[in-house]
Amino acid sequence: MNFTSPRRRFARAAVAGLALSGLLSACGGSDSGDDAKSSGPVTLPFWGWANGQEAVVKAFNASHKDVQLKYTKVTDQLTMQKQLTNAVKAGNAPCLLQNTGEYVTSWVSQGALADITKYVEADKDKFNPGSWAVGQVQGKVYGIPTSSAPAFTIYRTDVFDKYGLKAPATWDDFIAAGKELKKHDIKITNYAGEDPSTLEVLAMQAGAHWYAIDGGSWKVDFQDAGTLKAAKVIQEIIDNDLNSKLSFADYAAVQRNYDNAGTVTRQISTWQMSGMVQNFTKSFGKWALAPWPAFTGEAPKTPAGTNQSGGLTLVTEQCKNKEQAAQAALWMSTDAGAVKTMASPETGSGVMPAVADSSSYVPEAIPEKLLGKNYGPAQKVVTDSMGTITDDWTFGPNWTAMFTEMQDEWAAVVGKKQKVTDLLAHMQEWTVNDLKQRGISVKG
């Protein structure tokens, strides 16, 4: 799809306050007690996958005598979940690990993460509120934010100008532009059959809440007003054949399609533009940014859901030096040199930092080569988008399993074998049943 990575979709959202007992799972982790004392330098194992982390670890170790980080690079996000599961069971989990918001609730429910509130609460004003909320459950902090993800539309100016179109301000405008472009055998967007996060992010934008807390239970609702509003937009795009159907399994083909103007818009974040720069050969300077389309009659609102948005450095419960681990995580997310390293697409991952004011990193985070004369105006689009990001989305305790099920059904939506509303009805029933089978109290 337009908004997510071919390798992995990530999301960012605030986890709702909740009473953990009985809501997340039938069991929980034990408290390992006070941090262990050590007479020598403390070594903290740290697992991650993002480009630039090794350089940050090297800088940390050079500037700290009493605490050292031992970095292990994991292949990717999915591999991290598998390896962490095995490590927790074996009792040898790392002290620190890279992760994202959708996994926090599940890991807390399994007793895998440490409550580090007392070590970091005083530093929360160093981060933007939405990012800080990502690592919280029931007001307790389990992770330090590493990135945020401004979201916006990138579009082909040459094609839009040729057919007298303006950048779509609303989803109605987006559909209307798609219908005009269709007359010229051009698609306005791409829906990969394996990636339903288009539905997730539009529902998020529309004010939906697939998971919420109701008293002592989880409430599941895949058919609320916001979700149906999002479903209507997606269904109209599919019904009118306004979308390409290219799978990210062939990432190069997807990028060639954009470069050749077969598809001419994407809803993305800063980090995703690096893939365009690396794969394009024809369309440099022909792209511009515009705000994320609004629902007609509503104020601008951008969803919080892209790769590495909601990025976190988490501290595990098995770590014997939790305070040092928490402080190390803070340093990696706030030290000026470390933040710059990670924000640059050349030295790091090209992600926007989670710090309270990240505007100074915008010029470096977006590629002038791709945008050409539109580079200057694009910076304001990125900065403005950071002020409209949703921060009230909740990831449920079975999010990973739920999303996998949704992926299995999404291809039939893109292939016109079922409606979006059919998928939502299925997900409602499936998710409620899955939570019940896990012994989790649920309404829906």
Side-chain angles (χ1 to χ4, degrees):
M1 75 155 274
N2 305 309
F3 194 55
T4 60
S5 166
R7 299 178 180 87
R8 179 72 187 104
R9 54 157 292 286
F10 293 92
R12 162 190 155 177
V15 179
L18 48 91
L20 291 178
S21 178
L23 287 178
L24 296 177
S25 71
C27 61
S30 61
D31 190 346
S32 62
D34 295 335
D35 291 352
K37 303 298 182 182
S38 174
S39 58
V42 171
T43 298
L44 306 174
F46 172 32
W47 292 1
W49 64 82
N51 293 334
Q53 284 178 335
E54 291 176 271
V56 170
V57 166
K58 184 177 180 179
F60 178 91
N61 289 340
S63 61
H64 292 77
K65 295 181 180 180
D66 298 331
V67 180
Q68 296 284 285
L69 299 176
K70 182 180 180 182
Y71 184 70
T72 298
K73 188 162 188 175
V74 178
T75 305
D76 53 34
Q77 171 76 313
L78 290 178
T79 302
M80 172 69 81
Q81 312 317 313
K82 296 174 183 177
Q83 292 186 355
L84 182 58
T85 296
N86 294 334
V88 169
K89 290 179 180 178
N92 58 2
C95 273
L96 293 161
L97 59 101
Q98 179 186 356
N99 226 299
T100 51
E102 75 262 41
Y103 293 104
V104 173
T105 307
S106 295
W107 286 123
V108 171
S109 75
Q110 297 173 53
L113 302 183
D115 174 6
I116 58 172
T117 308
K118 64 182 179 181
Y119 307 129
V120 301
E121 185 69 17
D123 295 279
K124 67 179 181 180
D125 290 342
K126 295 179 180 179
F127 301 90
N128 67 65
S131 294
W132 185 255
V134 174
Q136 295 186 61
V137 176
Q138 199 184 6
K140 296 179 180 179
V141 182
Y142 294 88
I144 301 300
T146 59
S147 60
S148 59
F152 40 80
T153 299
I154 189 168
Y155 67 101
R156 282 286 293 260
T157 55
D158 57 332
V159 176
F160 272 65
D161 290 345
K162 181 177 181 179
Y163 298 112
L165 300 172
K166 295 181 179 180
T170 68
W171 286 113
D172 286 341
D173 294 341
F174 191 84
I175 291 169
K179 290 179 178 178
E180 178 61 32
L181 292 167
K182 180 185 175 182
K183 299 175 184 177
H184 310 284
D185 296 322
I186 298 169
K187 304 295 186 181
I188 196 167
T189 191
N190 180 62
Y191 289 166
E194 73 275 9
D195 190 354
S197 47
T198 296
L199 177 57
E200 176 195 343
V201 294
L202 262 68
M204 189 186 296
Q205 179 193 5
H209 294 283
W210 292 353
Y211 294 87
I213 300 302
D214 186 0
S217 301
W218 282 96
K219 180 181 179 181
V220 173
D221 193 349
F222 283 80
Q223 298 167 302
D224 61 7
T227 304
L228 295 179
K229 186 191 302 184
K232 184 176 182 296
V233 170
I234 293 170
Q235 194 65 62
E236 190 164 357
I237 289 171
I238 291 173
D239 286 348
N240 286 280
D241 297 312
L242 308 183
N243 60 296
S244 300
K245 302 175 184 178
L246 299 177
S247 170
F248 278 122
D250 190 347
Y251 183 58
V254 174
Q255 297 289 17
R256 283 196 302 272
N257 184 252
Y258 290 125
D259 197 24
N260 293 329
T263 306
V264 292
T265 78
R266 297 180 69 186
Q267 275 73 46
I268 59 172
S269 188
T270 52
W271 65 271
Q272 288 155 307
M273 288 190 284
S274 62
M276 301 173 78
V277 172
Q278 292 165 12
N279 288 277
F280 286 3
T281 60
K282 302 177 181 179
S283 60
F284 292 120
K286 298 178 181 179
W287 295 86
L289 303 188
W292 185 279
F295 287 98
T296 300
E298 297 185 8
K301 189 176 182 182
T302 53
T306 68
N307 179 13
Q308 306 194 51
S309 76
L312 297 162
T313 303
L314 302 174
V315 179
T316 67
E317 180 61 29
Q318 292 179 6
C319 181
K320 291 180 169 60
N321 302 98
K322 297 182 180 65
E323 181 173 6
Q324 291 94 329
Q327 291 300 317
L330 276 172
W331 187 93
M332 289 190 287
S333 288
T334 58
D335 176 79
V339 173
K340 184 176 181 180
T341 294
M342 296 304 296
S344 170
E346 295 183 4
T347 61
S349 302
V351 296
M352 288 300 298
V355 293
D357 182 7
S358 58
S359 58
S360 63
Y361 297 96
V362 171
E364 195 168 15
I366 61 175
E368 186 172 5
K369 182 178 182 180
L370 182 66
L371 299 168
K373 66 180 181 180
N374 303 307
Y375 174 69
Q379 295 178 42
K380 185 176 188 305
V381 173
V382 174
T383 301
D384 289 349
S385 75
M386 290 188 284
T388 62
I389 296 176
T390 57
D391 61 359
D392 60 348
W393 181 259
T394 301
F395 291 111
N398 67 337
W399 181 271
T400 304
M402 180 282 294
F403 197 83
T404 300
E405 179 67 18
M406 185 177 284
Q407 284 181 297
D408 291 341
E409 296 290 324
W410 177 251
V413 173
V414 174
K416 296 186 178 182
K417 296 179 180 179
Q418 68 172 342
K419 298 289 188 181
V420 181
T421 50
D422 296 329
L423 167 62
L424 294 171
H426 169 74
M427 293 311 305
Q428 177 69 28
E429 180 179 4
W430 187 94
T431 305
V432 169
N433 289 337
D434 183 68
L435 288 172
K436 288 179 178 178
Q437 290 173 11
R438 294 169 186 262
I440 298 173
S441 180
V442 60
K443 298 178 181 178

